[in-house]
């Protein structure tokens, strides 16, 4: 395949391989749990060479966070409703729905697994956090540009996201719409 | 040993066995991680019979939460300073110190491990949560009896404990005294 063909099928084979590798990771997390599989296991399951995974992702930790970020961005995208209250309510409701669903604690599990280990794992965890924080910051910046008074991203983390995650982690659900909206209203 | 002798050495052998079993659990968590050892492994490490562990704790999940609760109560006891602000500041500072220390995420790790599994594990997680909530509630009740206006225990969880746990989990420490006191002041 030459460059022109590659350009005509943007991400064709590449996107297919990524999807297969992501699915293999998701399956292995479900079957064995974090820490109980290697890049070699992922490669075998996805039907690709180990070297393809290392070339593209660099490490298992980076691959794991890529899978988690892809899932987060698909299921809890940052909304743009035109008002800060609308954005935060929609965002909080998306997160609440996601984390009370099947394997809703995926991000917490991943963060726990990566916190256990070495510098490369911690860096991957920090990159995941920073990417989501950047997205949240963009949402808050848009509000400020509209002249709204917006909280800091860390306040959103502390007083909207953290309570929901901890309640699910300790089995204190369900996260009712009243509860979730109440977290947003309290912060605003 | 007859009943009189047992009474003269309260908890002598029993307390020693419990301490050995607790230490074996702590060691195995550190070496293998949750989900990678059995009651048999704990018994072998502690030098006791499997049946002794089942008789006393009933299940691995109950034993794991007993170890976690013992640790929590030793390191983050509920204070009684005479004022609600003093109690909450001291409590929050204790928790902050504990969760930023070695294996400070022990409770989060345990909750994640227990959330993965069956009804018995979920029950053990709920019992651990309920016991700590009861202790916190007593602290808040004492404040109300003194005539102070106290928040609900769930508000303390949502807006003091949850932010600290999530910040440590995602590598957003350190938890400075200003930050921790700020969480308390904001809630009060």
């Amino acid at each position: 395949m030459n460059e022109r063909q590659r350009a005509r099928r943007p991400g064709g084979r590449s996107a297919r391989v990524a999807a297969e590798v992501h699915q293999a990771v998701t399956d292995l997390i479900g079957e064995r749990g974090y820490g109980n599989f290697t890049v070699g296991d992922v490669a075998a399951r996805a039907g690709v060479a180990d070297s393809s995974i290392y070339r593209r992702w660099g490490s298992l930790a980076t691959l794991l966070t890529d899978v988690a970020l892809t899932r987060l961005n698909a299921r809890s995208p940052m909304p743009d409703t035109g008002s800060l209250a609308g954005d935060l309510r929609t965002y909080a409701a998306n997160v609440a729905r996601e984390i009370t669903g099947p394997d809703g604690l995926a991000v917490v599990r991943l963060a726990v697994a990566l916190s256990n280990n070495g510098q490369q794992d911690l860096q991957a965890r920090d990159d995941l956090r920073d990417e989501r924080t950047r997205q949240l910051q963009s949402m808050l910046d848009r509000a400020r540009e509209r002249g709204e008074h917006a909280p800091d991203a860390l306040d959103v983390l502390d007083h909207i996201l953290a309570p929901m995650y901890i309640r699910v982690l300790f089995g204190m659900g369900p996260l009712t719409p009243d509860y979730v909206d109440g977290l947003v209203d309290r912060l605003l």
Side-chain angles (χ1 to χ4, degrees), chain A:
Chain A
M1 191 163 68
N2 64 31
E3 284 306 314
R4 201 171 59 88
Q5 285 171 313
R6 208 189 298 275
R8 279 169 54 201
R9 289 181 22 198
R13 179 173 145 67
S14 169
R16 216 162 47 239
V17 166
E20 278 157 10
V21 168
H22 276 217
Q23 189 59 50
V25 167
T26 302
D27 292 347
L28 286 165
I29 293 167
E31 289 167 23
R32 305 193 195 169
Y34 289 112
N36 297 322
F37 60 89
T38 64
V39 165
D41 295 326
V42 175
R45 173 75 64 119
V48 302
D50 293 20
S51 58
S52 301
I53 293 180
Y54 283 114
R55 196 164 50 238
R56 182 157 184 162
W57 284 280
S59 71
L60 181 60
T62 309
L63 171 58
L64 294 174
T65 55
D66 183 37
V67 170
L69 192 60
T70 302
R71 174 184 168 136
L72 276 174
N73 290 341
R75 304 197 193 189
S76 309
M78 297 290 163
D80 187 3
T81 65
S83 81
L84 178 61
D87 281 359
L88 283 177
R89 284 216 182 103
T90 304
Y91 174 53
N94 285 345
V95 171
R97 194 197 55 234
E98 171 62 10
I99 67 177
T100 51
D103 196 28
L105 291 172
V107 173
V108 171
R109 282 183 208 287
L110 173 59
V112 164
L114 294 177
S115 299
N116 232 350
N117 296 306
Q119 196 51 46
Q120 198 175 47
D121 284 8
L122 294 177
Q123 186 61 51
R125 177 200 64 184
D126 293 353
D127 290 345
L128 171 65
R129 172 200 72 204
D130 290 346
E131 172 55 26
R132 286 292 281 183
T133 306
R134 263 192 299 276
Q135 296 175 7
L136 177 59
Q137 190 60 57
S138 297
M139 190 170 90
L140 299 171
D141 288 345
R142 282 200 307 272
R144 288 205 187 92
E145 283 158 19
R146 288 190 301 261
E148 296 188 81
H149 179 74
D152 290 338
L154 284 176
D155 288 330
V156 175
L157 177 82
D158 280 352
H159 298 290
I160 297 180
L161 299 178
M164 294 197 293
Y165 271 108
I166 291 296
R167 284 205 179 203
V168 171
L169 182 58
F170 286 97
M172 306 168 83
L175 304 176
T176 65
D178 275 359
Y179 169 71
V180 175
D181 285 347
L183 291 173
V184 173
D185 293 345
R186 184 184 183 121
L187 181 62
L188 292 181

